[in-house]
Amino acid sequence: MERIEKIVLVGAGNVATQLAQGFHEHGRKVVQVYSRTDSSARSLAETLQCDYTTDLSCIYPGANLYLFSVADQALADLVKQFPLTNVAVAHTSGSLPLSLLTKPGLRAGVFYPLQTFSKKRKPDFSAIPFFLESNDPDLLASLHELAGTLSNDVRHIDSAQREIIHIAAVFACNFTNHLFSIADELLESNHISFDILHPLIRETIEKALASKPATVQTGPAVRNDRQIIEKHINALSTLPGYQIIYNFISQSITEKNKIKS
Amino acid sequence: MERIEKIVLVGAGNVATQLAQGFHEHGRKVVQVYSRTDSSARSLAETLQCDYTTDLSCIYPGANLYLFSVADQALADLVKQFPLTNVAVAHTSGSLPLSLLTKPGLRAGVFYPLQTFSKKRKPDFSAIPFFLESNDPDLLASLHELAGTLSNDVRHIDSAQREIIHIAAVFACNFTNHLFSIADELLESNHISFDILHPLIRETIEKALASKPATVQTGPAVRNDRQIIEKHINALSTLPGYQIIYNFISQSITEKNKIKS
């Protein structure tokens, strides 16, 4: 197994930034950052004190891993234009299949950390699950060793399972955040601070994570309290998008509970 | 202002149970518990070492407050049958108007703690917002004094504002929990533990509460990544209820972001 000591990061977004800093702190060297955007590439390279480029043809050839951490839409084109062969590549996407990297001369893998990253918030990598995939057993072992420097939770899964995990994460996190932003908007337009919901949100999370979420469901829909549901739906009449969400989630809660009972 | 020393609790559910224990710990006496269900009434009364009844006509007449904490659907009938006059009553509902308690001879108020209660989890009342309402200034002052023994966050709002707060809470908490249970179901049917999402869920909450949720939205919908969205919707084809939720929340995220940008 080859230890991944030198990494070229293709991408300079939130995921790339936090991974790069994590590698750095654990003694692995990011030797170069590529980004289409000069300012992004330069900014990350300055933090890491490494080289950067906005030109794919200038990518440094001697790295142990070329880690693609870019928007899903951008990956296929980048891979097509990627000039090197006989190197190991991996992407960090929850949704894209391993096969997107399959190209003659490339050893391909997936290196997917299940977390929401921001440029400014330093994550605690040790608890973040890393999901790895590769058809090349040597590369898989190398990726495992690299992920293991950051995290205590490294797993091997295939592309189909990774897609399910990504969908589950969209529901549990991206959509949850949107529900918070709907709540915030409703309160704000009535001059009430979103802060009043903080204790309730924290308790909701603690309850859901301490048991099975379906077993601690509360609210009008699980009681199928039609009177309150109709009242709320009427109160949302000027916000049809939110009315539809209210309606379908309530239906789904009621149905799930019917099946259970 | 009359200090509320003696309370009769009408109801013995999660909210009644936790409030009763909170009152008790702060030196206010729950003198009697009423519930339709003998076992519920007896169980709570045993914890509080007080009297209980399942017969409205046996309700003790000398209390400073009759606190109705029952299912929303049950409240109107209970109030109609309530035999006492010249007493102070209040309900703990987020959704029902003050006017539901308006009846000749009754001084009426609302005493709404914004939290999700379980019988077994002891809440930290000090951070829980209490929303109070009454047309009777003396009763409002008494309710404020009582709420103030439990919480540092006591506010006066009207029924219309309370309804908005309740709708916001349904989105941010009841619906959030359902999204978690969808994620759990998707993972479980693929033999993956819901635990893998815990770090991501915790980070999502920390980010949302540290700023305005709309400003930290991530995921395929905020990038309007149609390819991933379509892939996910296809993957949910055997779960049409979840497919609809995925579709409408994604639309809502994309629209909100278009307006913002």
Side-chain angles (χ1 to χ4, degrees), chain B residues 170-183:
Chain B
V170 167
F171 275 99
C173 298
N174 303 150
F175 288 177
T176 288
N177 188 73
H178 188 58
L179 296 182
F180 293 161
S181 79
I182 293 173

Side-chain angles (χ1 to χ4, degrees), chain B residues 1 5 33 37 47 66 86 93 96 106 113 122 126 193 230 245 254:
Chain B
M1 181 204 74
E5 299 286 357
V33 174
T37 320
T47 313
Y66 296 80
N86 297 319
S93 164
L96 298 178
L106 293 184
K122 190 175 164 168
S126 66
S193 163
E230 296 304 333
I245 291 172
T254 306

Side-chain angles (χ1 to χ4, degrees), chain B residues 239-255:
Chain B
L239 299 161
Y242 300 163
Q243 205 179 32
I244 285 172
I245 291 172
Y246 189 103
N247 193 25
F248 281 114
I249 298 186
S250 292
Q251 271 185 29
S252 181
I253 292 172
T254 306
E255 273 160 33

Side-chain angles (χ1 to χ4, degrees), chain A residues 13 35 37 52 89 105 118 142 145 151 187 214 261:
Chain A
S35 167
T37 320
Y52 74 93
V89 297
S118 324
S142 297
E145 193 275 336
S151 171
L187 292 174
S261 58

